Amino acid sequence: MSEQVATLVRDELALARVEMIQKGKRAGRGVGIFGTAGVLALYGVGALLFTVGTVLARWMTAWLAALIVTVVVFAGAGVMALIGKKQVQQAIPPKPVEALESSKRDVNAAKAGFQHGRIS
């Protein structure tokens, strides 16, 4: 019986390993495709900014239109940097505080149980 259980466990682990390898390959392809989409979107944003500059250049000199687009892009980058900084600060410290507190409570409860002879 114990040999059958050991064989069953080994077979299940082998199956899980094969499944994880297949999922890893699929995820890798998906990440690559997603990265390609990001690069194309970046080029699209560049083209859009060029278009905006060209439209503005119809009403003002080209250098002023380019300057306006540049200032707006840098302002947007600054806002996003501040938002990102705030998000990172909220994630610090990078430890599971709630889980650690829960574990401490469990350890203290177990200690109290041992001291009072409730847990043997």
Side-chain angles (χ1 to χ4, degrees), residues 78-95:
V79 169
M80 294 304 289
L82 291 174
I83 292 171
K85 180 182 176 189
K86 182 179 177 184
Q87 291 293 319
V88 169
Q89 287 175 339
Q90 289 176 350
I92 295 174
K95 58 184 178 183

Side-chain angles (χ1 to χ4, degrees), residues 31-116:
V31 167
I33 293 168
F34 190 69
T36 302
V39 169
L40 290 174
L42 186 60
Y43 283 121
V45 168
L48 176 66
L49 293 173
F50 178 77
T51 303
V52 169
T54 303
V55 168
L56 288 176
R58 293 184 60 90
W59 292 290
M60 59 189 73
T61 60
W63 70 266
L64 184 58
L67 180 63
I68 290 170
V69 171
T70 301
V71 168
V72 169
V73 168
F74 278 127
V79 169
M80 294 304 289
L82 291 174
I83 292 171
K85 180 182 176 189
K86 182 179 177 184
Q87 291 293 319
V88 169
Q89 287 175 339
Q90 289 176 350
I92 295 174
K95 58 184 178 183
V97 176
E98 293 177 23
L100 290 173
E101 290 299 321
S102 175
S103 296
K104 287 178 186 177
R105 285 192 303 271
D106 293 344
V107 168
N108 289 337
K111 283 181 183 178
F114 280 122
Q115 290 173 351
H116 290 50

